[in-house]
Amino acid sequence: MKRPAVKLPLLVGCVALAVAAQVAAQEKSSSPTPVQIVALDECDPTTFNAAIGPDFCKNVALGFSTTFSDLFAKAAAGTPDPNWDFEPDSVQVRKGTPIIVVDQGGEPHTFTEVKEFGGGFIDALNHGEPTAPECAGGFGKVSVAKTRILQGSQLQVNGLSKGEHLFECCIHPWMRVKVEVK
Ligand SMILES: [Cu+2]
């Protein structure tokens, strides 16, 4: 009858370990998982880089591209290219959830919080909509530059208060996201 006497403390030890592991897992899950938003575009490297500069556009949308002049023509017609887009267009998060915006397109974008949606800092892409004050000044303004996301990189937004928050791209102002914090 010696064996059970040895097994019991072992068993108790195992249960204690299992409980400890469970508590640790619960604590881990209480720090919220970030929500991801992707920025997409289909810039055509040849025409964009000729117009703006080398390496501006690094297209990753295999087999799809929109030329520089097409992008401006569509924006001017009031039918901006839907492939320049944030996805999803709206998200609901609990307070404290970080938002990570990943630029999976070929060119830079911004993820800029605005009081009201409006135009960006490139008039020719605004279809007559006045520039949102938060976008005015473009990258010459630190507050706008801070919201810039380069191709292949990401931006994290933390500490949003409860309620509705609007974000847009200050270059392509039809790229818009509504974030609802609960
Ligand atoms: Cu953009």
Side-chain angles (χ1 to χ4, degrees), residues 84-99:
W84 267 248
D85 193 22
F86 287 123
E87 279 295 334
D89 300 326
S90 68
V91 290
Q92 282 192 354
V93 297
R94 287 196 169 279
K95 194 175 182 320
T97 306
I99 293 168

Side-chain angles (χ1 to χ4, degrees), residues 54-71:
D55 293 332
F56 177 81
C57 167
K58 304 176 179 85
N59 190 326
V60 291
L62 299 170
F64 297 92
S65 59
T66 301
T67 64
F68 188 74
S69 56
D70 266 3
L71 184 77

Side-chain angles (χ1 to χ4, degrees), residues 108-110 169 171-172 175:
H109 298 279
T110 83
C169 175
I171 306 171
H172 318 99
M175 298 176 65

Side-chain angles (χ1 to χ4, degrees), residues 36-124:
Q36 184 176 301
I37 293 171
V38 294
L40 302 168
D41 68 65
E42 294 182 352
C43 63
D44 164 53
T46 307
T47 53
F48 274 72
N49 295 343
I52 300 175
D55 293 332
F56 177 81
C57 167
K58 304 176 179 85
N59 190 326
V60 291
L62 299 170
F64 297 92
S65 59
T66 301
T67 64
F68 188 74
S69 56
D70 266 3
L71 184 77
F72 278 80
K74 285 175 184 167
T79 52
D81 196 309
N83 295 323
W84 267 248
D85 193 22
F86 287 123
E87 279 295 334
D89 300 326
S90 68
V91 290
Q92 282 192 354
V93 297
R94 287 196 169 279
K95 194 175 182 320
T97 306
I99 293 168
I100 294 179
V101 189
V102 185
D103 186 351
Q104 293 187 6
E107 63 156 305
H109 298 279
T110 83
F111 191 73
T112 311
E113 182 161 13
V114 294
K115 278 206 180 73
E116 281 175 46
F117 287 132
F121 60 77
I122 298 174
D123 276 344

